[in-house]
Amino acid sequence: MEMNINTFEQLHCECISKNKAIYEVAQENMASSADISVDEVRAFTNRSLFAMKEAIQTGMLSRELSMSGMCGQDCHRVQKRFEAEPAIFGKTFEKIIEYALATSEENIRMGKIVACPTAGSCGILPATLTAICEDFNYSEREQINALITAGEIGRIISVKVALAGAVAGCQAECGTASAMSAAAICQLRGGNVSQILNASALALKNLLGLTCDPVAGLVEVPCVKRNPFLAIHSITAVELALSGVESKIPIDEVIDAMEQTGALMSPTLKESSQAGLATTKTALEVQKRVFG
Amino acid sequence: MKKSTLFDIISPVMVGPSSSHTAGAVRLGLLARNIYKNKPEKVIFKLYNSYAHTGKGHGTEKGLLAGVLGLSVDDRRIKDIFNSDIAKEIEYEFEYCDNFKYHPNAVDMTFIGENNMFISGESVGAGEIAVRKINDFTVKLTGKYNTVLIVYKDMPGMISQVSSVLQYHNINIASLFCDRNAKGKEASMVISVDGNISSDIVDIIEEIPEVYFVSYIEKLEH
């Protein structure tokens, strides 16, 4: 029977009392609520996973600019540099940056991506998941487990906070994506339920207050480059959580804080392009050039 | 508050750049296509507010047209839809306006063809949509359930007659929404159900006296 889980405390209790991982509880509840089998839930998840990898592959090869001309070639720039000179933190770090840019740039040139949770934040989770699975040889089964774990984190956040920049700012979009990425990687690296929830809490807590002020109202600046930043951000959260570092504020309360912060945030900074980066001199020039 | 599922969070697979302005637009077009059913000769899209102002940079117009033409949200052809052969099959026009009584991401679609139909909808976020008006009737269609739209004469017992047909065929009603023009005049019923309704059941509903018109609207794929 389906268990109605609306908070992380409930999820934690359910996992501990039944001795199950987050992905197990999540896939069983999804199957039960949609009246399908767990295998079908995993097949659906695998399709998303496949589409994420496809977006990365396509994006890595393209140099096509977006409609505004602002974005579309940064992934290429980064790849060229890493070919000549390795990144300070090594190969996996390089891949995460490249994959996040590849996906986000694919998004703004109207390519095919997976909204995860949203299109503007579509590069974060696929970048960490794909790069780390390639470099550490995780199986398809483990990748699906990780993506389901991430999805459950996003789902529970969305019970309290709408995952839309217009409602709660970018903390709700890229912030949630970063928390999901942290959960996915923590699951892959063998984190337990508490460590996974701590990783998500730590990632989210350090992004509270992030506004949504896109230039000319487009999902381009600062969105595209924010994706690699927050992908790397999520790895810091994972490394801390796996070391036993705890978020002093439990994740449910972090989400309460995010909801309150979102409500207090001026509407001019919530996807309306009426303040912040969107009203800088350069942004207004771009807006005029693109929309007249 | 709308409850998201695990699937909502890790999907849809879509062409970018925006779930509300691109994927939502495609889904509005697709649902309108399912409602209208026939192939239109022409469709006039009237975009409101944010859809009107930033639609161009987000491919909103392309998405709406692609949806009406039956393309799904992840179809790579959306990007070049205006130059594609399938777009040559119908005429289309875009209008833009501000009206703060409307949702920020709203569109009116006027279908012109064998019969004319007015469909108004909005993209409510994360690719989720709602059709709010069909011709003169207020409705609420999200594309998540298979739905029957029934237009009938406003009189006692109509809801019970329709629901008995569904009950007899063991169909569970997920939601029911009624509206009418005026007492005793035309009224509408929008019934969303779990599972499918076969065409014979639709025919049975159509045979109820004082039912003017029945349309079965299929849900959108996830």
Side-chain angles (χ1 to χ4, degrees):
Chain A
M1 188 55 207
E2 180 190 355
M3 162 84 191
N4 216 350
I5 293 175
N6 292 319
T7 66
F8 285 104
E9 196 184 348
Q10 289 167 351
L11 177 66
H12 189 258
C13 287
E14 179 74 2
C15 289
I16 299 304
S17 68
K18 303 250 170 80
N19 195 23
K20 282 179 180 168
I22 291 174
Y23 73 85
E24 290 175 296
V25 170
Q27 68 191 12
E28 284 161 22
N29 280 344
M30 182 67 225
S32 157
S33 71
D35 204 12
I36 54 177
S37 69
V38 165
D39 283 347
E40 285 172 294
V41 173
R42 294 181 67 85
F44 182 98
T45 308
N46 201 21
R47 281 195 293 279
S48 282
L49 194 61
F50 181 81
M52 287 175 180
K53 291 175 183 170
E54 208 180 34
I56 290 172
Q57 282 164 5
T58 317
M60 288 287 281
L61 297 173
S62 178
R63 289 168 70 177
E64 188 187 323
L65 289 168
S66 64
M67 276 176 279
S68 74
M70 280 192 289
C71 301
Q73 300 189 333
D74 290 337
C75 182
H76 175 73
R77 281 191 186 94
V78 170
Q79 286 182 72
K80 252 179 76 183
R81 185 196 150 225
F82 289 156
E83 277 165 24
E85 181 186 25
I88 300 164
F89 293 157
K91 193 67 203 157
T92 309
F93 182 83
E94 289 176 9
K95 279 190 183 176
I96 292 173
I97 292 180
E98 288 171 355
Y99 293 175
L101 281 173
T103 309
S104 285
E105 289 187 347
E106 205 39 32
N107 180 50
I108 49 99
R109 54 173 84 99
M110 292 193 81
K112 193 165 148 181
I113 53 90
V114 183
C116 193
T118 60
S121 59
C122 69
I124 297 170
L125 167 63
T128 57
L129 187 56
T130 307
I132 289 165
C133 287
E134 281 175 3
D135 288 358
F136 294 85
N137 294 316
Y138 289 110
S139 68
E140 187 181 281
R141 188 180 56 79
E142 288 169 302
Q143 295 178 42
I144 294 171
N145 294 349
L147 184 49
I148 292 174
T149 305
E152 184 69 353
I153 300 300
R155 184 190 70 77
I156 296 177
I157 295 174
S158 81
V159 171
K160 260 193 200 144
V161 185
L163 306 185
V167 178
C170 193
Q171 56 171 1
E173 294 204 27
C174 286
T176 300
S178 198
M180 288 168 59
S181 165
I185 305 309
C186 201
Q187 162 68 34
L188 278 182
R189 303 295 286 158
N192 61 30
V193 175
S194 291
Q195 287 170 328
I196 292 169
L197 297 186
N198 271 305
S200 293
L202 289 167
L204 203 55
K205 204 166 65 168
N206 287 287
L207 295 168
L208 291 183
L210 198 61
T211 63
C212 178
D213 53 357
V215 171
L218 300 169
V219 195
E220 298 189 18
V221 176
C223 322
V224 170
K225 290 187 280 283
R226 185 164 288 171
N227 276 259
F229 274 101
L230 297 201
I232 297 297
H233 176 92
S234 72
I235 303 301
T236 309
V238 173
E239 300 298 4
L240 290 174
L242 288 174
S243 314
V245 176
E246 291 180 347
S247 171
K248 293 296 171 206
I249 311 296
I251 182 160
D252 284 317
E253 294 176 43
V254 174
I255 294 160
D256 289 339
M258 176 160 95
E259 183 191 18
Q260 186 193 38
T261 306
L264 291 171
M265 199 182 282
S266 163
T268 59
L269 291 166
K270 291 190 279 192
E271 213 177 339
S272 61
S273 298
Q274 292 170 330
L277 289 172
T279 52
T280 55
K281 181 170 151 279
T282 304
L284 294 174
E285 283 165 13
V286 170
Q287 183 156 8
K288 199 158 177 222
R289 179 170 58 73
V290 178
F291 295 112
Chain B
M1 183 178 286
K2 179 186 77 73
K3 280 272 176 66
S4 295
T5 67
L6 173 73
F7 284 176
D8 294 330
I9 303 295
I10 57 171
S11 73
V13 179
M14 56 171 274
V15 298
S18 160
S19 44
S20 58
H21 283 59
T22 322
V26 178
R27 299 184 85 235
L28 279 165
L30 278 169
L31 189 55
R33 171 192 167 94
N34 286 358
I35 294 168
Y36 185 71
K37 287 202 169 63
N38 306 319
K39 193 169 167 186
E41 284 159 25
K42 182 176 179 176
V43 182
I44 301 166
F45 301 94
K46 192 172 186 182
L47 282 67
Y48 290 90
N49 308 331
S50 174
Y51 256 26
H53 292 293
T54 67
K56 267 207 177 62
H58 290 122
T60 304
E61 292 100 327
K62 292 177 184 176
L64 288 167
L65 178 65
V68 165
L69 293 168
L71 269 52
S72 58
V73 292
D74 65 344
D75 197 313
R76 289 186 201 273
R77 289 176 293 175
I78 294 170
K79 186 176 178 176
D80 289 316
I81 190 74
F82 293 140
N83 300 317
S84 71
D85 285 341
I86 46 167
K88 296 190 178 86
E89 293 170 12
I90 65 166
E91 284 181 61
Y92 51 88
E93 222 174 88
F94 294 97
E95 295 171 3
Y96 307 90
C97 88
D98 275 317
N99 184 337
F100 293 101
K101 286 181 187 155
Y102 276 73
H103 188 274
N105 301 327
V107 59
D108 290 341
M109 292 171 271
T110 307
F111 283 69
I112 299 162
E114 236 168 84
N115 57 321
N116 294 351
M117 193 180 271
F118 173 85
I119 298 168
S120 179
E122 52 204 39
S123 175
V124 297
E128 301 293 326
I129 55 157
V131 163
R132 298 288 188 189
K133 229 169 167 109
I134 301 175
N135 291 336
D136 288 337
F137 294 106
T138 300
V139 296
K140 193 187 171 208
L141 281 169
T142 62
K144 285 188 165 181
Y145 294 92
N146 289 317
T147 301
V148 260
L149 166 69
I150 303 160
V151 178
Y152 58 98
K153 183 179 162 61
D154 179 45
M155 55 186 273
M158 293 302 285
I159 295 171
S160 139
Q161 286 192 62
V162 172
S163 63
S164 324
V165 173
L166 297 177
Q167 185 191 4
Y168 181 78
H169 292 90
N170 201 25
I171 293 166
N172 187 41
I173 296 177
S175 75
L176 169 67
F177 189 93
C178 295
D179 188 32
R180 67 179 186 191
N181 285 338
K183 191 176 177 197
K185 301 281 194 255
E186 262 191 359
S188 71
M189 211 185 299
V190 179
I191 305 177
S192 298
V193 301
D194 293 325
N196 303 312
I197 298 183
S198 68
S199 61
D200 359 333
I201 301 172
V202 174
D203 291 344
I204 295 169
I205 296 171
E206 200 150 30
E207 279 162 22
I208 297 172
E210 313 299 348
V211 164
Y212 302 139
F213 164 80
V214 181
S215 175
Y216 181 52
I217 302 159
E218 282 181 55
K219 68 177 176 183
L220 301 177
E221 284 171 39
H222 194 87

